[in-house]
Amino acid sequence: MRTFGAVLQALREHSGLSREEFGDLVGFSKHTVASVELGRRMPDLVLVERGEEATGNTGALRKSFPKLARQPGLAAWFRQWAGLEATAITLYTYECRLIPGLLQTEAYARQLFTDELPPLDDEQIEAQWVARAERQKLLRDRPNTAYSFIIEEHLLLRRTGGTQTTRELVEHLLEVSELRNVEMQVMPSVRESHAGLHGPIRLAETSETQWFAYNEGQLSGLLISDPKAVSVLQRRYARMRSQALTISDSVSLLQRMRGDL
C-alpha cells in the first residue's frame, strides 16, 4: 500500500495537481488522498479509475490495484470485490450454490473449507475463517449499508455439515434477518418461473452511486463494470425479489425449518 501510494503521489505531482485539486477531480477529500498516498488507507476502485483519468491514463494504478490486498484467506480473484464490498452503500447477493460468506456460521464455513480440493492444511483453513469472520462484521459495522440476500431453500435442505450445523445456521440467519439494514428472502425449491437460473448474482453500489457486479466460478472471479451488463443483472435480481418468498414469509419458513431440525 505504501508503494502504491508513492506511485499515486508521483503521478499526481507529475500532473501538476495538489492533493486538493486531485481530490476534486476524483471525488474524494484531500485527507483521503493523503491517507492513500501515505499507505494508511486502501484505495477503492472508484479512486483508482478516476485517478487514472486525472493522471493521464498511464495504466500504472489500474494494473497495480489488484495486487494490493494480499490478505491471507482471500482468493486473488476475490480481493477486488472484497474492497467494493467493504465500502458499498448497497449490496445485493443471490446464491444458489452455498450460503453466502457474509451469512455463514463458523461450523458451516469450516465444513466448506474441509471439503476443498486440493485439501487445505490447518493454517490455511484458519486463515480463511479469520478472513470470512472479518468480512461478516460489515453487517453490523456498516448500519447505513442496505444488504439484500436471496438464498435458495435447497441450500438448507442439503444439511451441509450435518443437522446440528444446519440448525445453528438457520438460527444465525434468523438472527441476522432482524438487523434493520438486512433484508433476507428465500427462493422456494418449487418455483415455476425463476429469473436466476443463469447463476449467482452480486451487485454493489458505491458511495458515488456507481454500480458494479461480480460473478464467481470454480477458480476465477469476474468484476463487471459495464453499465449495460450491470443493468441486466439488476433487472434479474429485481425479478427474483418478486419471485422469492416475502421477507416475513421467508422468516416463517426459516422458523419452521428450525423446528423440523
Side-chain angles (χ1 to χ4, degrees):
M1 287 174 64
R2 288 194 296 270
T3 301
F4 180 91
V7 172
L8 174 61
Q9 181 175 354
L11 289 171
R12 173 181 62 77
E13 292 176 349
H14 182 72
S15 301
L17 299 169
S18 68
R19 282 176 175 164
E20 186 171 4
E21 291 169 333
F22 178 80
D24 289 340
L25 289 174
V26 300
F28 290 86
S29 70
K30 64 179 182 180
H31 304 294
T32 298
V33 174
S35 294
V36 173
E37 289 185 349
L38 295 171
R40 297 173 180 166
R41 173 175 173 148
M42 176 75 176
D44 62 29
L45 185 61
V46 174
L47 188 148
V48 171
E49 291 293 337
R50 293 180 180 176
E52 278 284 1
E53 296 176 7
T55 56
N57 285 305
T58 65
L61 300 179
R62 191 176 292 116
K63 290 177 182 177
S64 60
F65 178 63
K67 301 175 183 178
L68 268 181
R70 297 288 186 183
Q71 304 104 309
L74 291 181
W77 62 80
F78 184 75
R79 291 169 188 151
Q80 210 169 1
W81 178 256
L84 281 171
E85 184 182 71
T87 58
I89 61 172
T90 306
L91 194 73
Y92 295 161
T93 304
Y94 163 66
E95 260 295 353
C96 54
R97 303 167 303 182
L98 73 170
I99 299 299
L102 290 177
L103 299 177
Q104 294 173 8
T105 61
E106 182 173 355
Y108 181 90
R110 287 186 181 275
Q111 181 63 51
L112 299 180
F113 302 149
T114 300
D115 291 339
E116 282 279 358
L117 289 172
L120 303 177
D121 60 32
D122 291 344
E123 185 177 343
Q124 290 172 314
I125 289 176
E126 191 63 29
Q128 291 212 16
W129 167 245
V130 169
R132 191 152 301 180
E134 188 65 26
R135 285 176 54 217
Q136 291 180 356
K137 294 179 182 178
L138 294 173
L139 297 176
R140 291 175 171 81
D141 291 349
R142 296 183 61 81
N144 298 122
T145 294
Y147 296 93
S148 168
F149 297 95
I150 301 175
I151 59 175
E152 292 283 350
E153 180 184 4
H154 70 78
L155 298 180
L156 298 168
L157 297 176
R158 183 179 296 145
R159 299 195 180 183
T160 299
T163 300
Q164 179 59 30
T165 295
T166 304
R167 183 184 296 112
E168 293 175 359
L169 178 61
V170 173
E171 288 278 6
H172 179 65
L173 294 177
L174 286 168
E175 179 184 334
V176 172
S177 70
E178 295 178 356
L179 298 174
R180 288 194 299 272
N181 60 330
V182 174
E183 293 184 351
M184 193 176 307
Q185 294 178 260
V186 177
M187 183 70 76
S189 295
V190 179
R191 171 60 67 195
E192 294 182 3
S193 179
H194 194 323
L197 297 182
H198 289 285
I201 295 175
R202 300 190 197 193
L203 295 161
E205 181 187 13
T206 71
S207 58
E208 307 298 317
T209 65
Q210 185 175 3
W211 284 86
F212 292 90
Y214 177 74
N215 287 339
E216 187 170 284
Q218 290 278 338
L219 295 171
S220 63
L222 175 65
L223 182 69
I224 303 170
S225 58
D226 176 31
K228 292 183 179 179
V230 172
S231 176
V232 170
L233 296 176
Q234 286 175 314
R235 281 180 279 164
R236 290 178 182 175
Y237 193 89
R239 177 67 60 84
M240 277 190 289
R241 294 182 86 169
S242 67
Q243 294 171 333
L245 298 177
T246 65
I247 295 173
S248 59
D249 286 346
S250 295
V251 169
S252 296
L253 175 61
L254 290 172
Q255 291 172 336
R256 291 197 302 273
M257 294 179 80
R258 177 180 59 184
D260 292 339
L261 291 169

